[in-house]
Amino acid sequence: MIELLQKAGSVIYQIWFYILVAIPILIFWPLLVIFTISEKGYPYFFWIARNIWANFILYGMGCITIVKREEKIKKGESYMLVANHTSMLDIMLMLKLSKNPFVFVGKKELSKIPFFGFFYKRVCIMVDRNDPRSRTAVYRRAQKRLKDGLSICIFPEGGVPDEHIILDEFKDGAFKMAIAHKIPIVPMTFYDNKARLPFTFTKGKPGRTRAKIHHFFKTDNLDETQKASIREEIRSTILTELETKST
């Protein structure tokens, strides 16, 4: 009986998340549409997404954010932001951690989420994992946004891993792009989002939401032949954190 009540509570908690996602979007809909007409309006869109939308959801879900920084993101600089990915809360937490406007590179399937999907298609760089040509298009669009002075965020696990996998294998895209543009890679560890809001609809609960911004990895002196080594070094950094500080 207790287990059944816990599952019911988790389902309500999951539904509540999507209600919180929709409320600010509906309130600010006209402004958001205006700010997504052209790429010049994106910084204003990002400000609303970071300072209002993300905070509204995190606080509304009862997620107390605790952040440790080994190095600070500098205003006006472009970065490649990477983190482990096990929850929809990863999007909100990433927004909270960077004041510098950045663009998400994410899976096409998220565009189907009501309200959220409308703007996701307009401001994010979508990748279709079943279409090899999509990767080339993603790379071109990301290059343009970097030239505009923005940062890029990629969750290098690609799709969301099995719930029992601590950290899936990393794809090359984020590291290849960072090396090509000589921008620092900012690894982040999200410790608790899987427990707070997993993709299993009958699980989830409020509580602390810890994150760590690790020391940045410079790419100035790297070439593409070194993308695998830096990819594995960053994955090892995040995996070690998850294994030693997961509780």
Side-chain angles (χ1 to χ4, degrees), residues 24-39 41-42 44-45 48 115 118-119 122-123:
I25 293 175
L26 291 172
I27 292 173
F28 292 98
W29 189 278
L31 274 179
L32 296 175
V33 170
I34 291 170
F35 292 150
T36 56
I37 290 174
S38 73
E39 292 181 354
Y42 183 75
Y44 304 103
F45 177 93
I48 292 175
F115 304 113
F118 176 82
F119 291 105
R122 295 168 74 94
V123 300

Side-chain angles (χ1 to χ4, degrees), residues 126-188:
M126 295 186 296
V127 57
D128 184 350
R129 288 171 292 169
N130 298 318
D131 184 359
R133 294 173 300 178
S134 176
R135 298 190 188 97
T136 304
V138 165
Y139 196 77
R140 284 200 305 268
R141 287 192 64 193
Q143 281 183 317
K144 185 178 185 306
R145 303 318 297 272
L146 285 169
K147 288 177 180 177
D148 291 339
L150 301 178
S151 295
I152 298 292
C153 173
I154 297 178
F155 295 114
E157 290 172 279
V160 178
D162 182 277
E163 192 174 315
H164 300 96
I165 297 174
I166 297 175
L167 188 68
D168 211 343
E169 297 300 317
F170 280 6
K171 307 293 190 298
D172 286 335
F175 312 99
K176 180 179 178 181
M177 198 179 300
I179 290 171
H181 291 275
K182 304 299 180 185
I183 58 173
I185 303 171
V186 182
M188 304 183 191

Side-chain angles (χ1 to χ4, degrees), residues 30-223:
L31 274 179
L32 296 175
V33 170
I34 291 170
F35 292 150
T36 56
I37 290 174
S38 73
E39 292 181 354
K40 291 181 180 179
Y42 183 75
Y44 304 103
F45 177 93
F46 180 86
W47 191 93
I48 292 175
R50 179 183 186 272
N51 294 286
I52 299 176
W53 186 69
N55 281 321
F56 182 78
I57 294 166
L58 289 168
Y59 290 130
M61 296 295 288
C63 295
I64 310 302
T65 306
I66 303 169
V67 182
K68 181 178 180 181
R69 293 177 172 85
E70 292 185 338
E71 193 168 344
K72 290 187 177 180
I73 294 172
K74 296 179 181 178
K75 185 177 180 179
E77 297 288 327
S78 291
Y79 299 93
M80 177 61 69
L81 311 175
V82 300
N84 54 308
H85 186 32
T86 55
S87 169
M88 283 291 288
L89 283 177
D90 297 338
I91 296 171
M92 296 80 201
L93 187 54
M94 184 64 78
L95 285 167
K96 191 172 178 67
L97 295 182
S98 175
K99 291 183 180 180
N100 288 13
F102 65 84
V103 176
F104 282 106
V105 175
K107 56 186 180 179
K108 188 178 179 180
E109 291 85 346
L110 291 180
S111 64
K112 298 176 182 178
I113 298 175
F115 304 113
F116 171 82
F118 176 82
F119 291 105
Y120 179 81
K121 288 186 289 187
R122 295 168 74 94
V123 300
C124 296
I125 300 173
M126 295 186 296
V127 57
D128 184 350
R129 288 171 292 169
N130 298 318
D131 184 359
R133 294 173 300 178
S134 176
R135 298 190 188 97
T136 304
V138 165
Y139 196 77
R140 284 200 305 268
R141 287 192 64 193
Q143 281 183 317
K144 185 178 185 306
R145 303 318 297 272
L146 285 169
K147 288 177 180 177
D148 291 339
L150 301 178
S151 295
I152 298 292
C153 173
I154 297 178
F155 295 114
E157 290 172 279
V160 178
D162 182 277
E163 192 174 315
H164 300 96
I165 297 174
I166 297 175
L167 188 68
D168 211 343
E169 297 300 317
F170 280 6
K171 307 293 190 298
D172 286 335
F175 312 99
K176 180 179 178 181
M177 198 179 300
I179 290 171
H181 291 275
K182 304 299 180 185
I183 58 173
I185 303 171
V186 182
M188 304 183 191
T189 301
F190 297 166
Y191 301 96
D192 308 301
N193 286 356
K194 184 190 289 186
R196 299 286 79 79
L197 193 81
F199 285 93
T200 302
F201 207 65
T202 55
K203 294 182 180 180
K205 58 183 178 181
R208 64 180 182 172
T209 307
R210 297 169 297 158
K212 182 176 182 178
I213 300 177
H214 300 278
H215 288 297
F216 304 168
F217 284 72
K218 307 298 183 184
T219 62
D220 305 72
N221 299 317
L222 301 181
D223 59 46

